[in-house]
Amino acid sequence: MSVSTSVEQAGNQEPLQILAEDGTVVRPDLMPELTDEQLREIMRRMVFTRVWDQRAISLNRQGRLGFYAPVAGQEATMIGSEFAIAKEDFILPSYRDIPQMVWHGYPMYQAFLYSRGHLHGGQIPEDVNVLMPQIIIASQCAQSTGVAMGFKLRNEKRVAITYFGDGATSQGDFYEGINFAGVYKLPVIFFSQNNGYAISVPFEKQTAAANIAVKAQAAGIASTRIDGMDVLAVIKATQEARERGLNGEGATLIEALTYRYGPHTMAGDDPTRYRTGEEQGEWEQRDPLIRFRKFLETKGLWSEKDEEATIEEAKQAVADAIKKADEYPKMKVSDLIDVMYETLPPGLEEQKAEYLAKESK
Amino acid sequence: MAQMTMAQAINDALRLELARDEKVLVFGEDVGKNGGVFRVTDGLQAEFGESRVFDTPLAESGIGGLAVGLSINGFRPVAEIQFFGFVFEVFDMVASQAARMRYRSGGRYHSPITFRSPFGGGVKTPELHADSLEGLFLQTPGVKVVIPSGPYDAKGLLLSAIRDNDPVIFLEHMKLYRSFRAEVPEGDYTIPLGKANVVREGGDVTIITYGAMVHTSLKAAEELEKMRGAKVEVIDLRTVNPLDMDTVLASVKKTNRAIVVQEAQRSAGVAAEIIAQINEKAILHLEAPVLRVTAPDTVYPFAQAEDIWLPDVKRVVDALTQVLDF
């Protein structure tokens, strides 16, 4: 069974790698079944996301975006895992996981409005199965159990996938979430993007555990460790975790080893205070885009022309989304008061009237 | 009509709603097979099965997270926090998650959760069981807080709470669970949230109160009338967030004198908020300052001191006398 080969009760095992850094397939037996078109689409999405990230950083520096957590380096974990789930599966993201939300159907202009602190950024379209990005670390882990229990109670073939970092696995809500998921055998994928740092605190100061995957043992759920710079390993592990969930085998914890090239967020973090350039250079050697591009080029599935076309497409999409975000009506305090409750209590009605008067001037 | 304790009335409401709406789920620590540590959920698992009424692992934040996840996925969770002193363990899920869900998502999601929890003094619990923490949730926009004073109200308010589309904290005073029985109609009835109840009419002075202190206040009202013939109006708030200031202000404008009685500590909280709003909206109607009868600003006391610590009839009578003689 494929399940036992990649997802298992984890010890201090080597992370699963399907594609080596030079783009060669080292585990053909675990190669996910993907058409040439799908392989090209994965590459397109990774290139697109990197360009979008570069544009977002530059827009932030120009003061045209607000809160932003850069994603470069983590494209394989983000794009691969989202690619491996279905549209009806439900994503509970953290604040860096905007790409998964967008590739799941959340419009990019709304992501920009979210970044700028506009109410409409949170108004996820009805047919898009994602929650707002979570700010409280690991809270989404404990909430994913409820979403998954709902699927199970209604006998729906859907899973919940929740994203969090390495620091989150120190939080109580992480343990409570995996424990509840274990007890009720819920279809949850706990996807940990271990980028080595919780802002500045390195993984070895976060836990004495050998790794994150072993933490699943305490909750009685399955887990796996994967090379998070290898998009094929990400897809394979996520597909299997999803299958386990759909088959009633319960939750899976995936630990994907990755790296964020940029700062924690654009709000003043300086990674040179806690990481060396040498370390960063080593991780850049493992870059998910370079590796996958080499793999596709040897198969004749990706060319310089494809790369350029995707870069142009991404630049245009970002420009269009920013324009749409610019044109969106300004948010009012009275709009915010309206969404505090289904029906406003009288005290809040009075307070709304004060703001309406102010806003009509 | 049946005579029921408040515990039975709450059980009756849960049974009714589980039968009426399949989206309702009841869960928490010991609520399944054991029927809850106060037997409030007694018999519900046997009747509705383990997928509707179930035990959770012993982890309050996990319970809150489960409730939040279910609530955005079409369910109406009724989650029990075994004692309200444990609410700090689940504070993030209540105050930062459920309470903000509608706001954060601009109305796309909402969290119709009822957090049921026993609280209240006078039953000699270990610490962190009896504390009156409702004041914390007056400063938590997005939640409602309901505190019934007896069996009839408990059933009607709980049915409204479960059907409400925003998160409701439903606090059950432990001393009221079995201290008396009252007539409770069979079947479905609701009492609206956010509406106070004038439980005793009078024209000379108003007591604004809620929970177990309604009974203390009613006794004080009787005593004062015997002492000096003064007619005391008693308002049971029923819901402390949002406050029904219309009822409070109408009474104060009639009596021109008022006190607020609460079991909670003095500073901030319900009494302070009510007095602030009376000050803003009815100060010219007042013949005396509005006084508070409360517990002191300490943490809830160890069991041997709680009878003295809690507000009692004498202190309420004293405060009424002060505002009448001002």
Side-chain angles (χ1 to χ4, degrees):
Chain A
M1 256 184 38
S2 61
V3 167
S4 60
T5 52
S6 123
V7 177
E8 60 198 36
Q9 294 290 337
N12 189 13
Q13 91 267 31
E14 276 299 302
L16 169 72
Q17 190 183 68
I18 294 173
L19 210 52
E21 286 165 32
D22 62 2
T24 56
V25 176
V26 289
R27 290 295 301 271
D29 55 321
L30 292 176
M31 197 54 195
E33 278 183 35
L34 296 163
T35 63
D36 287 352
E37 234 5 80
Q38 286 175 315
L39 291 170
R40 282 172 50 78
E41 176 62 14
I42 293 159
M43 189 68 212
R44 185 183 78 87
R45 290 187 184 189
M46 290 204 292
V47 173
F48 186 111
T49 303
R50 181 155 299 176
V51 174
W52 161 24
D53 185 62
Q54 288 160 352
R55 293 294 303 133
I57 288 168
S58 129
L59 285 162
N60 173 281
R61 289 193 175 126
Q62 295 162 30
R64 296 185 67 202
L65 269 190
F67 173 75
Y68 186 71
V71 303
Q74 299 189 201
E75 291 91 346
T77 55
M78 292 174 165
I79 304 307
S81 59
E82 195 285 328
F83 195 83
I85 61 171
K87 283 290 165 212
E88 62 268 24
D89 294 333
F90 196 100
I91 297 178
L92 293 95
S94 179
Y95 45 79
R96 201 180 309 282
D97 304 310
I98 309 295
Q100 297 96 304
M101 295 174 69
V102 168
W103 292 113
H104 214 55
Y106 172 62
M108 188 190 278
Y109 85 95
Q110 284 189 272
F112 290 151
L113 285 172
Y114 166 74
S115 167
R116 290 174 175 181
H118 191 297
L119 162 81
H120 185 53
Q123 291 171 325
I124 314 272
E126 285 291 333
D127 59 344
V128 177
N129 293 301
V130 304
L131 194 60
M132 289 301 296
Q134 183 55 250
I135 297 298
I136 299 298
I137 303 300
S139 188
Q140 71 275 26
C141 295
Q143 295 172 28
S144 65
T145 61
V147 173
M149 185 182 277
F151 295 151
K152 193 174 172 177
L153 286 170
R154 288 197 296 258
N155 288 312
E156 292 174 336
K157 289 282 178 196
R158 300 166 73 181
V159 303
I161 181 167
T162 184
Y163 293 94
F164 48 94
D166 37 309
T169 67
S170 299
Q171 285 274 24
D173 276 349
F174 164 73
Y175 290 98
E176 296 189 26
I178 60 174
N179 189 51
F180 274 55
V183 168
Y184 301 121
K185 242 182 173 185
L186 298 173
V188 186
I189 304 170
F190 292 96
F191 198 107
S192 175
Q193 297 177 80
N194 180 355
N195 65 19
Y197 294 86
I199 304 188
S200 67
V201 178
F203 186 68
E204 62 271 20
K205 290 193 175 165
Q206 203 61 245
T207 179
N211 55 58
I212 289 170
V214 294
K215 297 186 178 196
Q217 287 185 14
I221 65 169
S223 68
T224 187
R225 280 187 101 207
I226 58 172
D227 177 349
M229 308 300 260
D230 171 5
V231 72
L232 295 178
V234 173
I235 289 173
K236 180 67 178 169
T238 311
Q239 280 177 340
E240 290 186 357
R242 181 169 187 272
E243 282 306 308
R244 292 187 76 257
L246 297 181
N247 294 338
E249 293 168 74
T252 305
L253 170 62
I254 297 172
E255 176 185 8
L257 300 173
T258 183
Y259 203 78
R260 74 170 142 76
Y261 297 158
H264 166 65
T265 70
M266 293 304 292
D269 179 48
D270 172 11
T272 64
R273 293 171 65 88
Y274 53 84
R275 304 191 308 208
T276 63
E278 195 189 352
E279 178 188 282
Q280 173 135 356
E282 281 169 24
W283 277 96
E284 284 173 3
Q285 292 301 307
R286 303 171 196 154
D287 187 79
L289 276 65
I290 295 172
R291 186 186 313 199
F292 197 58
R293 189 182 292 115
K294 281 183 187 160
F295 166 71
L296 291 188
E297 279 169 356
T298 57
K299 290 171 74 90
L301 291 174
W302 195 256
S303 65
E304 194 67 29
K305 219 175 109 199
D306 291 321
E307 184 88 7
E308 275 162 20
T310 305
I311 291 168
E312 282 317 304
E313 181 203 2
K315 282 182 180 168
Q316 191 57 48
V318 170
D320 291 348
I322 278 290
K323 187 162 177 281
K324 201 167 171 187
D326 287 342
E327 286 164 2
Y328 201 81
K330 230 179 136 196
M331 183 179 68
K332 296 190 298 250
V333 174
S334 53
D335 299 335
L336 296 175
I337 292 176
D338 276 336
V339 289
M340 206 61 253
Y341 291 92
E342 183 181 43
T343 310
L344 285 191
L348 209 44
E349 281 286 5
E350 286 170 25
Q351 293 162 43
K352 183 183 163 186
E354 285 175 34
Y355 280 90
L356 277 175
K358 239 178 166 174
E359 285 160 357
S360 66
K361 275 175 198 166
Chain B
M1 269 202 272
Q3 289 279 323
M4 288 189 194
T5 63
M6 192 169 89
Q8 288 169 327
I10 294 167
N11 181 276
D12 193 40
L14 292 170
R15 175 175 287 106
L16 233 142
E17 208 54 9
L18 279 160
R20 198 189 70 89
D21 183 355
E22 62 178 15
K23 297 191 294 296
V24 173
L25 304 174
V26 173
F27 54 86
E29 295 154 7
D30 303 292
V31 306
K33 197 170 183 188
N34 197 32
V37 291
F38 291 99
R39 308 289 175 265
V40 168
T41 54
D42 195 27
L44 298 178
Q45 189 178 70
E47 190 172 339
F48 296 98
E50 257 195 79
S51 62
R52 303 281 313 281
V53 180
F54 53 90
D55 290 322
T56 62
L58 205 166
E60 285 79 15
S61 191
I63 293 170
L66 183 69
V68 169
L70 283 163
S71 74
I72 59 165
N73 197 4
F75 288 84
R76 290 190 175 274
V78 181
E80 181 175 302
I81 310 302
Q82 194 161 58
F83 290 94
F84 205 51
F86 310 167
V87 74
F88 297 105
E89 293 288 315
V90 62
F91 214 95
D92 174 60
M93 291 300 177
V94 179
S96 310
Q97 307 297 330
R100 289 169 182 245
M101 189 61 76
R102 184 185 293 281
Y103 185 86
R104 177 182 289 153
S105 66
R108 163 70 169 89
Y109 295 109
H110 61 280
S111 282
I113 304 168
T114 304
F115 291 102
R116 284 187 43 247
S117 191
F119 83 111
V123 294
K124 307 269 187 277
T125 58
E127 71 168 326
L128 285 163
H129 285 61
D131 306 56
S132 289
L133 300 169
E134 64 275 11
L136 300 171
F137 296 96
L138 264 67
Q139 222 178 73
T140 306
V143 296
K144 297 179 181 178
V145 184
V146 176
I147 306 183
S149 62
Y152 173 82
D153 281 13
K155 180 175 169 183
L157 288 167
L158 182 54
L159 288 172
S160 291
I162 300 172
R163 292 172 196 176
D164 199 276
N165 282 331
D166 287 305
V168 179
I169 298 167
F170 190 87
L171 298 176
E172 303 166 5
H173 199 291
M174 284 184 270
K175 200 158 186 187
L176 299 179
Y177 267 146
R178 292 185 171 78
S179 58
F180 68 98
R181 284 169 190 273
E183 296 219 322
V184 174
E186 276 166 41
D188 199 339
Y189 69 93
T190 56
I191 295 172
L193 306 186
K195 293 276 178 244
N197 186 25
V198 179
V199 290
R200 187 184 198 275
E201 290 196 15
D204 296 323
V205 57
T206 302
I207 302 178
I208 301 133
T209 186
Y210 57 97
M213 284 296 135
V214 170
H215 305 283
T216 306
S217 298
L218 284 170
K219 280 181 202 148
E222 296 296 328
E223 200 156 303
L224 194 84
E225 188 165 347
K226 266 185 245 162
M227 277 165 60
R228 55 192 283 176
K231 302 273 194 261
V232 184
E233 183 142 298
V234 179
I235 296 175
D236 176 355
L237 289 169
R238 285 177 164 167
T239 301
V240 298
N241 185 11
L243 288 165
D244 178 5
M245 286 311 294
D246 288 347
T247 299
V248 170
L249 292 169
S251 179
V252 169
K253 285 175 185 173
K254 180 177 75 173
T255 62
N256 313 116
R257 295 168 203 274
I259 67 168
V260 189
V261 181
Q262 69 180 19
E263 191 174 309
Q265 291 88 336
R266 172 160 296 244
S267 299
V270 177
E273 178 56 28
I274 285 176
I275 293 169
Q277 291 204 40
I278 292 173
N279 172 54
E280 286 169 353
K281 289 168 182 162
I283 196 158
L284 294 178
H285 293 269
L286 291 176
E287 298 289 346
V290 183
L291 298 185
R292 288 179 279 187
V293 179
T294 70
D297 284 325
T298 70
V299 297
Y300 194 87
F302 300 113
Q304 287 199 9
E306 72 177 342
D307 290 340
I308 300 166
W309 189 84
L310 289 165
D312 57 14
V313 173
K314 184 181 176 302
R315 287 184 53 207
V316 177
V317 169
D318 287 350
L320 288 169
T321 306
Q322 269 191 65
V323 297
L324 282 167
D325 294 344
F326 183 77

